[in-house]
Amino acid sequence: MSLRLDPAEIESVLTSVLLKHGFASARAELCARLFTETTLDGVYSHGLNRFPGFIDAVKRGIVRPDKEPCLLYTSPSPPDLRQDLVCRLML
């Protein structure tokens, strides 16, 4: 037996959780959409499977809902086969 969930319902629940953890409404909705869509795209490591760890990081102060991401630095990355500049973000 498999369980099917409505993506809109998942997104709504995730938004609610994020709001309870101090995210502004627009940011909560965006994060919830990204977690949901990533799961729907089959990238489970960055979708719903990551959400509990993300909330834990919020609780521990690693992710701060009141802060905007900013560019920390750019550098060539050896694993990048194209040798392009790779953005490093501090969230």
Side-chain angles (χ1 to χ4, degrees):
M1 181 169 102
S2 64
L3 177 65
R4 290 198 173 268
L5 300 173
D6 176 26
E9 186 177 345
I10 294 169
E11 197 171 318
S12 175
V13 169
L14 297 183
T15 299
S16 175
V17 171
L18 291 165
L19 289 170
K20 289 178 184 174
H21 283 88
F23 283 80
S25 181
R27 178 61 56 89
E29 290 171 6
L30 174 62
C31 286
R33 181 171 53 85
L34 293 174
F35 278 110
T36 302
E37 288 179 356
T38 303
T39 296
L40 294 174
D41 289 342
V43 187
Y44 305 113
S45 63
H46 284 69
L48 295 178
N49 290 343
R50 182 172 289 258
F51 192 74
F54 182 77
I55 294 300
D56 184 57
V58 171
K59 289 178 181 178
R60 292 186 293 141
I62 296 168
V63 173
R64 296 177 56 189
D66 61 328
K67 300 295 180 188
E68 292 287 326
C70 64
L71 179 64
L72 193 56
Y73 63 89
T74 61
S75 69
S77 176
D80 185 3
L81 300 177
R82 297 171 301 163
Q83 298 301 313
D84 295 334
L85 290 181
V86 177
C87 291
R88 307 288 185 205
L89 296 176
M90 173 178 263
L91 301 177

